[in-house]
Amino acid sequence: MPVIREYKGKSPKIGEGVFIAENSVIIGDVEIGPDSSVWYGTVIRGDVNYIRIGKGTNIQDNSVVHVTHDTHPTIVGDYVTVGHRVILHGCTIGNYVLVGMGAVVMDGVVVEDFVLIGAGALLTPNKRFPSGVLVAGVPAKIVRDLRPEEIELIKESAMNYINYKNQYLSSK
């Protein structure tokens, strides 16, 4: 069973149709929207600030979602794909964003809608990335505008994970 734990009087709120893997941990002031999924080994720790995750969003294996005390909650929009081993810390992620495997998004970063973040990217504190761009590198920079097929890939990734989580939920 996943660990879903109250902390300081705040309990996670889990939307309808959410899949939460057995060895994931969700603590404190966390809200997860409907049709989202939290995969194996993931920790979502809303202990010293709040975390909001939208609908149809997937947080993949071994990712960490955390916050900064009193200053930076973490907000993740709708239909976001958060790849394996990602760290989201005190940041805001818009709708229809794909965060590549192993990326790190730090305090105060704002990523607008329809952004593709390359695997291993390091988004350093207090940067803003506008809609419709590819972001990559260490430190991350805007590489170029997204191509139409990349926008479709972002949408497809979110839908694939909704299908995966439905398969997992129906196989229990």
Side-chain angles (χ1 to χ4, degrees):
M1 295 294 296
V3 174
I4 299 175
R5 181 175 188 257
E6 174 192 347
Y7 183 78
K8 292 190 174 181
K10 305 241 175 168
S11 294
K13 294 180 177 71
I14 311 298
E16 190 172 328
V18 172
F19 169 75
I20 301 171
E22 293 85 355
N23 66 340
S24 56
V25 178
I26 303 171
I27 297 171
D29 192 356
V30 175
E31 293 181 14
I32 301 174
D35 281 330
S36 291
S37 54
V38 177
W39 295 87
Y40 298 92
T42 293
V43 175
I44 301 174
R45 190 162 60 107
D47 55 355
V48 295
N49 212 322
Y50 64 90
I51 295 171
R52 301 294 178 261
I53 297 170
K55 65 183 174 189
T57 288
N58 61 87
I59 313 291
Q60 295 176 22
D61 311 67
N62 296 316
S63 290
V64 174
V65 182
H66 196 229
V67 293
T68 304
H69 188 270
D70 293 333
T71 60
H72 294 96
T74 296
I75 301 166
V76 181
D78 299 335
Y79 305 106
V80 173
T81 294
V82 176
H84 310 290
R85 206 181 47 82
V86 165
I87 297 173
L88 301 179
H89 199 280
C91 59
T92 300
I93 306 292
N95 302 314
Y96 292 102
V97 172
L98 192 153
V99 184
M101 294 181 285
V104 176
V105 185
M106 298 177 72
D107 291 358
V109 169
V110 175
V111 176
E112 295 182 4
D113 300 344
F114 291 103
V115 172
L116 177 56
I117 299 171
L122 174 63
L123 284 65
T124 54
N126 302 312
K127 301 286 193 290
R128 183 175 203 96
F129 296 92
S131 294
V133 296
L134 170 63
V135 175
V138 177
K141 295 182 177 17
I142 296 170
V143 175
R144 60 173 168 75
D145 289 340
L146 288 180
R147 299 179 182 116
E149 61 270 18
E150 291 167 324
I151 291 171
E152 290 308 310
L153 171 79
I154 291 169
K155 293 178 186 176
E156 185 179 310
S157 180
M159 293 313 298
N160 285 343
Y161 268 85
I162 289 171
N163 290 331
Y164 300 153
K165 70 97 185 160
N166 286 339
Q167 292 170 16
Y168 272 76
L169 288 172
S170 68
S171 71
K172 284 189 171 187

